[in-house]
Amino acid sequence: MNEALPDLIAHFHIKRGLFRRERVQAALFELDHFGCVMKTDKIFNPGDTVILDLVMEMPFDDIRADGITGLVTERRKHCSNFFYSVDFVELNDNSSSALSEKLKRIREVVVKKQTLKSRRSSGPASSIRQLA
């Protein structure tokens, strides 16, 4: 969990008083078909439910998976932020197949971006920098 996933952001709303809601962006550090790990300074407790909108920023059209219900299962403090393990609740059903297909597409793009990034960092130019 060293770096955030490239170009992937989670959006969610937090209640701020009786009629106000705040829209928050959080970086994602892990993503699989069971859940994700996000980092934010907002406070949740294990057992809280959060509705996430995952957005993969692409050059022409973003890939969005909106309205994913997540259950906060773990909280770890890191400086002034928290890492939250979030399990996806409704993606185990076959009823939300469109949502699970979008999430699958986001995971595929993340894996491709990570492999491209690792190829660039392990190329000949980086080995020359390591020798210097």
Side-chain angles (χ1 to χ4, degrees):
M1 234 178 353
N2 298 344
E3 296 181 11
L5 296 176
D7 302 323
L8 184 59
I9 298 173
H11 297 272
F12 55 92
H13 293 278
I14 291 185
K15 200 171 187 178
R16 288 278 195 209
L18 190 58
F19 296 111
R20 281 187 42 211
R21 296 182 72 98
E22 177 184 359
R23 184 170 173 90
V24 179
Q25 291 185 0
L28 290 182
F29 284 75
E30 290 180 17
L31 177 68
D32 60 19
H33 60 280
F34 296 113
C36 65
V37 174
M38 68 177 181
K39 181 181 179 183
T40 182
D41 61 347
K42 304 305 176 190
I43 298 177
F44 294 105
N45 293 314
D48 288 350
T49 302
V50 62
I51 309 257
L52 298 174
D53 297 335
L54 299 183
V55 180
M56 170 61 75
E57 296 174 351
M58 300 293 286
F60 296 109
D61 193 21
D62 295 343
I63 304 171
R64 299 183 63 90
D66 294 333
I68 299 173
T69 303
L71 178 69
V72 177
T73 56
E74 183 181 355
R75 176 176 67 186
R76 289 168 292 192
K77 184 153 176 65
H78 180 265
C79 297
S80 64
N81 291 309
F82 295 93
F83 284 101
Y84 293 103
S85 296
V86 179
D87 289 348
F88 298 145
V89 176
E90 61 191 31
L91 291 181
N92 298 332
D93 304 333
N94 291 333
S95 61
S96 61
S97 62
L99 187 59
S100 58
E101 286 298 317
K102 288 180 183 179
L103 193 59
K104 181 181 174 185
R105 176 71 179 130
I106 289 174
R107 281 194 310 267
E108 289 172 354
V109 172
V110 165
V111 168
K112 287 179 184 177
K113 285 187 176 197
Q114 286 176 326
T115 54
L116 286 173
K117 188 175 180 179
S118 69
R119 284 184 194 165
R120 276 192 231 133
S121 65
S122 65
S126 66
S127 62
I128 291 171
R129 278 187 237 130
Q130 290 176 353
L131 292 174

